[in-house]
Amino acid sequence: MQSLFGLGSSADIDIRFDGEEQRKWVDVKVGRDQRDKFPLYADGESVTGKVNIRVKEGKKLEHNGIRIQFLGQIEMFPDKSPQEFISMGQELMAPGEMRGLQTFDFEFKNVEKQYESYLGLNVKLRYFVRVTISRRLSDIVREKDLWVYSYKSLPDENHPIKMEVGIEECLHIEFEYNKSRYHLSDVIVGKIYFLLVRIKIKYMELSILRRESTASMAASQQLGNESETLAKFEIMDGAPVKGETIPIRMFLSGYELTPSFRDVNKKFSVRYFLNLVLVDEENRRYFKQQEITMYRSPLGSGEE
């Protein structure tokens, strides 16, 4: 997620945020087997720091100006055409030439960061600073990302979920979950009641699905949907009998969840579903999905 300056460049650019060593850092999965850490910022918080530019010894760097920007972008694959929703800039140095090491301070005051950072299957929402040394042939560019959490107030209403699932004359079950909205370190508590069982059930599992919906940059194209299974939990192994009750207790803190997002900048949404699956001895699958809302609760309210 960080762009390196071009190979063969005659200058190195190092970006440092003020106080980044004391900040909370967020560990993020950025690839199949790759993780990275980013300093955490909040909506409305200023972004300040220093830029160190070192020209190689014995060299001079002629340039057409040095500029720093604070950017918020949404990139959706396969379009790969980033759309900026925040763009702020400052001039660090007028056109001229540089030798040795020079340090520049930067400050973006009280920056509105209305969306949470997100890295999904087909969507990337990122905040970063970019330093550009403008040159006649090729610019030298360095970027450094930060991460943003968006904290929401606790929901006023959080009703339990109660539903029935049935196959006529074969299966009738009722299931309930203790609530419909969960913070990211919550526990899903529920029960499953078997009212009628005339099929041979082999096992039953509960999974959490994340569904990412994206709107193409071209208005003429339809929405795309991509789902992934984030968690799978076997809640029963073996055939139940009529009248049996199966308890559910699923801890969410061990999974890489994000809040639910709706129509972020009119570009994408992220929704979560509980998927209850029953598999019979002939490997036929019966399932029922129920949408839940995930949210990041304010500090001190039980989540963190």
Side-chain angles (χ1 to χ4, degrees), residues 125-138:
L125 189 153
R126 60 187 290 235
Y127 296 90
F128 59 100
V129 294
R130 173 192 290 160
V131 175
T132 303
I133 302 176
S134 298
R135 297 193 300 175
R136 185 168 58 88
L137 294 178
S138 62

Side-chain angles (χ1 to χ4, degrees), residues 284-296:
R284 289 177 296 197
R285 300 171 67 87
Y286 311 90
F287 66 90
K288 184 69 175 182
Q289 286 188 1
Q290 174 63 40
E291 184 172 4
I292 58 174
T293 299
M294 303 298 302
Y295 65 95
R296 189 181 303 282

Side-chain angles (χ1 to χ4, degrees), residues 11-15 50-56 59-61 63 66 92-94 96-105 131 133:
D12 293 338
I13 304 173
D14 180 51
I15 305 169
K50 298 181 184 299
V51 178
N52 298 308
I53 301 178
R54 183 184 299 275
V55 180
K56 292 181 179 179
K59 301 282 187 178
K60 70 176 181 178
L61 175 68
H63 61 86
I66 303 174
L92 297 180
M93 190 175 184
E97 64 177 47
M98 281 185 59
R99 297 176 186 268
L101 171 67
Q102 292 200 35
T103 299
F104 305 90
D105 295 323
V131 175
I133 302 176

